[in-house]
Structure formats: structure tokens, C-alpha cells
Amino acid sequence: LALAGLLVGTGVLYLWALGRSGWANTFYSAAVQAGTKSWKAMFFGSSDSANFITIDKPPAALWVMDISARLFGVNSWSILVPEALEGVAAVGILYATVRRWFGPPAGLLAGAVLAVTPVAALMFRFNNPDALLVLLLTGAAYAMVRALEAGRTRWLVLASTLVGFGFLTKMLQALLVVPAFALVYLIAAPNPIRRRIGQLLVAGGALVAASLWWVVAVELIPAGSRPYIGGSQDNSIWNLMFGYNGFGRLTGNEPGSVGGGGGGVGATGSRWGLTGLFRMFNSEFGGQASWLIPAALILLLVGLLVTWRAPLVDRTRAALLLWGGWLGVTAVVFSFGRGIIHPYYTVALAPAVGALVGVGSAALWARRSGWMARAGLASALGVTAIWAYVLLRRTPTWHPWLATVVLIAGLALSALLLAWGHLPSRVSLAVAVAAVTIGLAGPASYTLATVTTAHAGAIPSAGPAVAGGFGGGPPGGFAGGAGGPGGAGGRFAGGSPGGAAGGLLNGSSPTAALTSLLKQGSANYTWVAAAVGSNTAAGYQLATSSPVMAIGGFNGTDPSPTLAEFQRYVAEGQIHYFIGGGRGGGGLGGPSGATGGTASQISAWVTSHFSSQTVGGVTVYDLTQAPTAS
């Protein structure tokens, strides 16, 4: 019954008024629409059904939404409900994983922590790839636990396969759990060491196969028979995999990214904000997933201390190392990455935090007669209360009483936990329940704020507006988040706030008049329009249900099409309109504002050769009319 309550409650939390976010991230919604019209577009993850260019990620997350939209039509609910159900499934699998070794209370606590982590509620109600990634990695952790029980190769292969499909969801980020998985199996599996090494090699082969089958298939198809690989600078999956979506996230050297391919700003920061050990706790990242990270680390440390002399196959220590390795590696990469690292990426930390809280609490509860275990539990709750107070005070006008209540109650309960050995059993149980309630009060409040707010754009943010962070950043910086000045979601300085023309991080919103114009004679053209940047193109495509060419891909910086290719498309009558006003990274297709990008060249050629009209506040060029002299 408790499990049913957890899953039903999670489902209500993630499905409630889900449609208020509309298309959410129009970039992915447009690709889903394309996938419902073309199996080729579905396989490649194309932005449009005419298969001009792909999204800048592998398509696994789209495949789930594509199937739903094919069954139930292209609408907000058919796109977002699969994401919410992936969240419910992730909570259920995390419960099953922790419960298997530590009992139902530990599993329920772990699942509840994941369910009410604000960024989890955000991403399981949104259509970015992170929802499927978290589900796959949580499933892989369950398979690892089964593999550790009896040393079965098939469970190890299943874990590797799920991580491989995670790679097809968000590329190298999925592999951050691999070091922890491999190390724990090498240490704690109940097999001779030579067999463990052999099994890991087999699992490595399964990981490679599951990760690269789609990559190899795409690379074997001639470039002329497939769409351009969005996010790459040479129409290659390998470039996307190791550059823009790979090591560039660590070094900041991301050619084709917003502002070009520099290595970041200063010694302790990048163009995406300050980097360093405490990045996960700052004003941009802190409210997303860090509420229980201090508690998780304390429980991890104390749990390892109390199991120090246990046999190598000890399950408590194996679980702590598995989930602690997941949390540690992922958090360090996010903290020191100088490339594109958005706050919502921290949803990948939530399963590990939930598991560590569940496992650590159960392990120390079982040893509560000892002072170290009681001190660990008490300090975990006390630090959680203090940190929740700090996070809640970052929104001083948002329910200001809550921070004080959490702090006072948390510290009082922490003191009672120290006296646990002297409390009657019923009182100690009541204290434990109250401790869990207070510990989850802060993140749960932010989660409720998240689910009652519409979110859109490419960089959504959980919780209420935070001064100096994504929820309410300074003018000219990042803004937007729940209730922030950028509206619900996120926007980038200099971009359109989601108006008709669109911008780098928000989709276009065409008026009825402009939509009607684009629809006229749409069946006669391969693309009813072309626009710079995928988000600008996406809004028009969703409104017209017809392909719109996204010049330069997501950032407007991909070198596709070239000016000569675009001129050929125009000469062949394949494009009806060119829509002005779209934005790419650093301008119209040129890195760091350069004017030599292909998008800039195309825009300059169109504006100098074709006459324009303004419809619905947007400048439109009819490319089927005879061009004027330059």
C-alpha cells in the first residue's frame, strides 16, 4: 500500500495540469512532429520531416515520444505524458533497487527523495532527453544490484545495455556512472577475480554495441541520403559525440556552441558560470537538486566507516560505493565542466542522492545503539535543516515562515536523534517519521512551486525565482525559471522572450495571419519556410504542421546549408519563404558574432535579393518571387 501510495502520488505530481506547459521545449516537440510524419525523420531524429538537419542529440528520447504522438496525435499531452510516466517508473525502480537489500522503508525513502527533488519534477514534466536518461541509468543500477547478488553475467550485460541506450539518449553523460559500476563489481561480486574481469570485458562489449549501433548505421549511410548531423561542424556523429556533446563540455572548447569555441572565462569559470567544488550549491544550481546532497555525503561517509571491517562482498558497503560513485563522478564533472552545463542536468544526481539517503539511513538505523550511527543520522538531519534554511532564504519573499520552521524543527529533531538510545521505541519511531518529513519539506515545497508553474524554452528552472540565479538573474544574464522575469522557463540575454520571431532559447509564436500565409500552397514546397536557428523554425513548423528548414541547426552555427546549397534550393523552388529575425549563437550563424557564418551569408543574400513584407510583426521574404539585383 505504501508503494502504491508513492507511485500514485508521484503520478499525480508529475501529471497534474501537465498541458499548461504547451509544447515545452519546441525544439524537441518539432522533432517529434517530424517523426510522426516520416519514419526516416524518426530514425535520425530530424528537426523536420523533409530531413534537412537532425537535433543535436541522439534520438532515443524522441523515439518514445514519437510512438506516443503517432498513437495519440501530436499535442502537448502525447509528448509530455511519456516523460511523466518515465518519472514514475524511475521512482518505482529506485524503490525496488534499494528495497531489495535494505527493506521497504529504505526503498520508500529513496523513492520519495527522487520524486520530490525539484529538478526531477521539472524534467519529468518536460520533453528534454534527461527524463529517459535518468530512467535508463536507474534501471542499470537495478541490474547491477542483481549482478552483484550472484555474479550473473546476464545482469551485468543488461546494466551495460541500458547504459548504452542512455548513450543514445544523451551521449557521454550516460557513461559517468560506468566507473562506479565497474569498480563496485570488481570489488564486491562473489566470483573469483579472473571471472569478474572477464565478465566486465563482456559487459564492456555490450556497452559498446548498445551505444554505437545507431552511430555506425548513420555513418554508413552516405551523407547525401541522410540529414545533416546537427551540432557537428563536419556532418559527422563522431564530431558531435566527442566535441559539442563530449569533451567540449569539460574543456569549454565547443565549436559551433553559443559564442563559438573558446575555452571559458577566467580560471574559475566559464561563459556558463562559475566552476568549482561548490558549483552544485550556488544560486543557479542549489535549489535544483542539492537539498539532500550534504546528508547523502554524511550518510555515505559514516556508512563506510561503520562497514570498514566488513567482508568485501558486504552489501551495505557495495551499495554505498555504487551510489556514492555515481553521485561523486557526476557531481565533479558538472562542477568543473567549463562547457555547456545547465542546472537542469542535476536531475542525473537525484537517483543517487535518494539511494544514499535510503541506504545510509537504513544502515545506520540498524546500528542505532552505537554512538557513531546516531551521530551520523543526527548530523545528516541537522545539516539538511541548515542547508534547507539557506536555500529557502534565497527566496526571502516566498513563504518566509517555512525556512524558520524547517530550521528549528530540524535541529530539535536532530538533538532527539542523538538521544535515540534512551527513547521508547514508539517515540523513536515518531521522531524518525518527523525527521523524514522535515528533511523533505524544503525540496517538496520547491517541487510544488515547480509543478504549478508552466515551463518552456531550452533552459527551464525548478522552484521559485532566486536572486542571482536562473529564477531571477541580473539583467543581461540568464533569467526565467518559475516566476522569473524571463517568464516560465528560461531565456538567453539578447534573445526574443518567446515572441513571434523566436530566439535562441525560445520557440517562435506566429500569429494566425502569419500561420495562414505560411500554409498557403504548402503542399507545393519541400519547406514552407526557412529560418535561422532550430527554435525559431520549430514554432513555425508546429503551427503549420509542415517542414521548416532550420538554417544552422540549434545554435544557428552549423555550416549547413552553405550559401550555394541554399541558392540551389531556392532556384529549384523548394523553399517558399525566408523568415527574418531568427537568432543563432553570437549572431546569424557566425561564432562569437562573426559575420562569416553560413547563416549570416544566407541572411545577407536573401535581404539583398528579395523584397520583404511584415506579417504579424515578423519580416518575411517570398523566395518564389523573382530576385532583385544586388
Side-chain angles (χ1 to χ4, degrees), residues 135-441:
L135 173 60
L136 291 169
L137 296 185
T138 306
Y142 174 82
M144 280 299 304
V145 165
R146 296 297 300 269
L148 286 165
E149 288 178 354
R152 296 290 180 86
T153 303
R154 67 171 181 262
W155 284 107
L156 197 59
V157 168
L158 176 59
S160 298
T161 301
L162 291 172
V163 174
F165 274 88
F167 181 89
L168 295 182
T169 302
K170 215 173 176 195
M171 291 195 163
L172 292 188
Q173 184 183 330
L175 304 185
L176 296 180
V177 302
V178 172
F181 286 9
L183 179 63
V184 170
Y185 193 82
L186 196 62
I187 293 173
N191 294 331
I193 184 64
R194 291 181 61 182
R195 178 167 171 77
R196 276 176 268 166
I197 293 174
Q199 288 176 308
L200 287 173
L201 291 175
V202 172
L207 174 62
V208 171
S211 300
L212 297 184
W213 68 267
W214 179 83
V215 173
V216 173
V218 172
E219 286 296 309
L220 290 176
I221 297 172
S225 300
R226 60 167 172 77
Y228 184 92
I229 303 301
S232 73
Q233 296 301 293
D234 60 0
N235 197 16
S236 166
I237 285 285
W238 304 109
N239 179 265
L240 178 66
M241 189 165 66
F242 292 111
Y244 179 70
N245 280 337
F247 299 116
R249 303 287 171 132
L250 301 178
T251 65
N253 184 21
E254 299 175 281
S257 179
V258 176
V265 180
T268 60
S270 73
R271 66 174 58 89
W272 299 101
L274 292 176
T275 61
L277 189 61
F278 299 104
R279 188 182 194 183
M280 295 298 98
F281 303 96
N282 67 21
S283 58
E284 290 182 3
F285 288 80
Q288 306 300 300
S290 75
W291 299 82
L292 290 163
I293 288 180
L297 295 176
I298 290 172
L299 293 170
L300 170 64
L301 177 61
V302 178
L304 291 176
L305 287 175
V306 300
T307 59
W308 183 255
R309 297 182 181 276
L312 287 177
V313 294
D314 180 74
R315 289 183 172 181
T316 299
R317 184 170 56 202
L320 291 171
L321 290 175
L322 187 148
W323 296 106
W326 174 333
L327 175 63
V329 173
T330 305
V332 166
V333 169
F334 288 171
S335 296
F336 290 92
R338 297 168 66 85
I340 300 175
I341 304 289
H342 296 311
Y344 69 79
Y345 287 10
T346 56
V347 68
L349 304 176
V353 172
L356 285 171
V357 170
V359 170
S361 297
L364 298 187
W365 170 272
R367 297 168 172 83
R368 62 188 180 278
S369 59
W371 69 269
M372 183 180 293
R374 290 201 306 275
L377 289 167
S379 58
L381 178 60
V383 170
T384 295
I386 294 171
W387 181 236
Y389 178 84
V390 172
L391 289 174
L392 290 168
R393 290 303 297 166
R394 290 178 178 175
T395 55
T397 61
W398 185 79
H399 303 305
W401 57 271
L402 182 59
T404 302
V405 169
V406 168
L407 178 64
I408 294 175
L411 293 178
L413 289 168
S414 178
L416 287 175
L417 288 176
L418 280 175
W420 221 334
H422 308 288
L423 296 175
S425 58
R426 290 186 178 181
V427 176
S428 63
L429 180 60
V431 170
V433 172
V436 170
T437 302
I438 289 297
L440 296 181

Side-chain angles (χ1 to χ4, degrees), residues 77-158:
W77 280 86
S78 69
I79 291 173
L80 296 180
V81 165
E83 307 294 283
L85 296 181
E86 288 167 2
V88 176
V91 169
I93 292 173
L94 184 62
Y95 163 84
T97 306
V98 174
R99 175 194 179 279
R100 190 166 185 88
W101 287 356
F102 302 96
L108 290 169
L109 178 56
V113 170
L114 172 57
V116 301
T117 299
V119 72
L122 172 70
M123 298 317 295
F124 287 127
R125 294 171 56 89
F126 210 69
N127 58 333
N128 281 22
D130 302 75
L132 181 62
L133 177 68
V134 169
L135 173 60
L136 291 169
L137 296 185
T138 306
Y142 174 82
M144 280 299 304
V145 165
R146 296 297 300 269
L148 286 165
E149 288 178 354
R152 296 290 180 86
T153 303
R154 67 171 181 262
W155 284 107
L156 197 59
V157 168
L158 176 59

